[in-house]
Amino acid sequence: VYGTSRPKERSAVTTGTQEARKHTTVKTTVRFSFSEKEPFHHDYPAETTVGEVKAAAMTYFGVQPDPVHVFYLTHDRVRQDDNATLASVARNARAVTFRLVREIPQG
Amino acid sequence: VSLDVESRLALDEDEAAVFDFLTRHDGAVTTDTADAAIRWLILHPRSAPTTETYFVRLRWTSYPHAAPSVVFATAVGGQTGISSAWPQIPGYRPPHDICMPFTAEGLALHSEWASGPDAWTAIPNPYLRVVTQLQDDLDNRYAGRAA
């Protein structure tokens, strides 16, 4: 009896851990109009900041920061602060999609 | 305004990618039967894909070597210089011009844009670059129709 119950307990613990991990991970997608690449996808801990996601997405899209252009992420067409966390942007959602915006100079 | 043969050929070649891009964004591009230098774009902002339509007239002088004139119009082949035909976007100045480095109007006013990261470049596909910028502005920086 002991031998058959242990795997079940182990399985339950594992499942619980996975469930907990799922709750703290946000499937993140970033799109960028000026790249022919597929959107950037990554699973991040919920406490990851928007700025960290932006930096990773810029690297993926081959975009270099420069003093002339302003880069930021939008979600639902709203500009997101670099210091905001994915948890605050996604709220209860498990996935969030951003757009990388590049502002060019204007007269 | 006539467009030299080399520019016409280059414009036609690059237009395939523009057509693909606009198709993905529910937009369209049409040629002007009276003037080979002109293209008309039909664009929709992402926030109002079925209720708002904008018509853009691109006028090229030398493709791909010079930025086009970019203005909004009331329809394909319609009037320009009408404020209500324009979107409200930072840098867009209804009903006159877009004062940014991808337009002939902007570059004429800001000689400093002729060099640096926003200088006009003939590669790759500047036609697509202009159209992508317009669609991106409509999708991400749009604040409604101008009065």
Side-chain angles (χ1 to χ4, degrees), chain A residues 33-34 69 77 99 105-107, chain B residues 46-47 99 101 118 133 136:
Chain A
S33 301
F34 293 90
H69 299 106
R77 295 187 298 279
R99 284 181 178 258
Q106 62 197 52
Chain B
R46 188 162 51 101
S47 59
C99 198
D118 291 304
Q133 185 67 56
D136 194 66

Side-chain angles (χ1 to χ4, degrees), chain A residues 37-56:
Chain A
K37 280 185 151 185
E38 292 293 308
F40 170 74
H41 297 288
H42 196 79
D43 290 356
Y44 282 106
E47 64 270 21
T48 304
T49 66
V50 168
E52 289 172 304
V53 175
K54 182 181 76 174

Side-chain angles (χ1 to χ4, degrees), chain A residues 21 23-28 42-49 52-53 85-87:
Chain A
R21 190 178 298 133
H23 278 291
T24 58
T25 301
V26 180
K27 296 180 80 66
T28 305
H42 196 79
D43 290 356
Y44 282 106
E47 64 270 21
T48 304
T49 66
E52 289 172 304
V53 175
T85 62
L86 291 181

Side-chain angles (χ1 to χ4, degrees), chain B residues 12 41 51 72 84 90 110-111 128 132-135:
Chain B
D12 286 347
L41 307 176
T51 56
F72 285 79
S84 59
H110 291 269
S111 57
L128 179 61
T132 302
Q133 185 67 56
L134 289 164
Q135 183 67 57

Side-chain angles (χ1 to χ4, degrees), chain A residues 34 102 104, chain B residues 92 102 129-137:
Chain A
F34 293 90
R102 181 192 65 170
I104 63 174
Chain B
Y92 289 45
F102 67 93
R129 198 166 64 239
V130 169
V131 173
T132 302
Q133 185 67 56
L134 289 164
Q135 183 67 57
D136 194 66
D137 286 343

Side-chain angles (χ1 to χ4, degrees), chain B residues 6-45:
Chain B
E6 188 186 344
S7 292
R8 290 185 194 196
L9 292 171
L11 200 56
D12 286 347
E13 187 176 334
D14 281 356
E15 194 153 60
V18 170
F19 181 81
D20 287 346
F21 175 85
L22 287 173
T23 300
R24 290 198 305 274
H25 290 82
D26 297 321
V29 55
T30 65
T31 54
D32 190 291
T33 53
D35 191 338
I38 290 178
R39 293 293 191 277
W40 296 92
L41 307 176
I42 301 170
L43 303 175
H44 306 281

Side-chain angles (χ1 to χ4, degrees), chain A residues 2-107:
Chain A
Y2 178 74
T4 54
S5 65
R6 271 184 73 185
K8 282 182 186 171
E9 286 168 11
R10 223 186 267 132
S11 173
V13 170
T14 304
T15 303
T17 306
Q18 286 171 342
E19 193 62 27
R21 190 178 298 133
K22 270 201 286 185
H23 278 291
T24 58
T25 301
V26 180
K27 296 180 80 66
T28 305
T29 299
V30 182
R31 302 180 188 280
F32 184 46
S33 301
F34 293 90
S35 174
E36 292 180 356
K37 280 185 151 185
E38 292 293 308
F40 170 74
H41 297 288
H42 196 79
D43 290 356
Y44 282 106
E47 64 270 21
T48 304
T49 66
V50 168
E52 289 172 304
V53 175
K54 182 181 76 174
M58 288 176 67
T59 300
Y60 170 79
F61 289 118
V63 177
Q64 301 295 325
D66 66 66
V68 176
H69 299 106
V70 176
F71 291 92
Y72 55 87
L73 297 184
T74 65
H75 174 63
D76 281 345
R77 295 187 298 279
V78 176
R79 182 174 178 165
Q80 301 297 317
D81 190 285
D82 278 356
N83 296 319
T85 62
L86 291 181
S88 68
V89 176
R91 298 185 181 172
N92 294 324
R94 304 281 175 83
V96 64
T97 298
F98 295 101
R99 284 181 178 258
L100 176 62
V101 177
R102 181 192 65 170
E103 279 198 1
I104 63 174
Q106 62 197 52

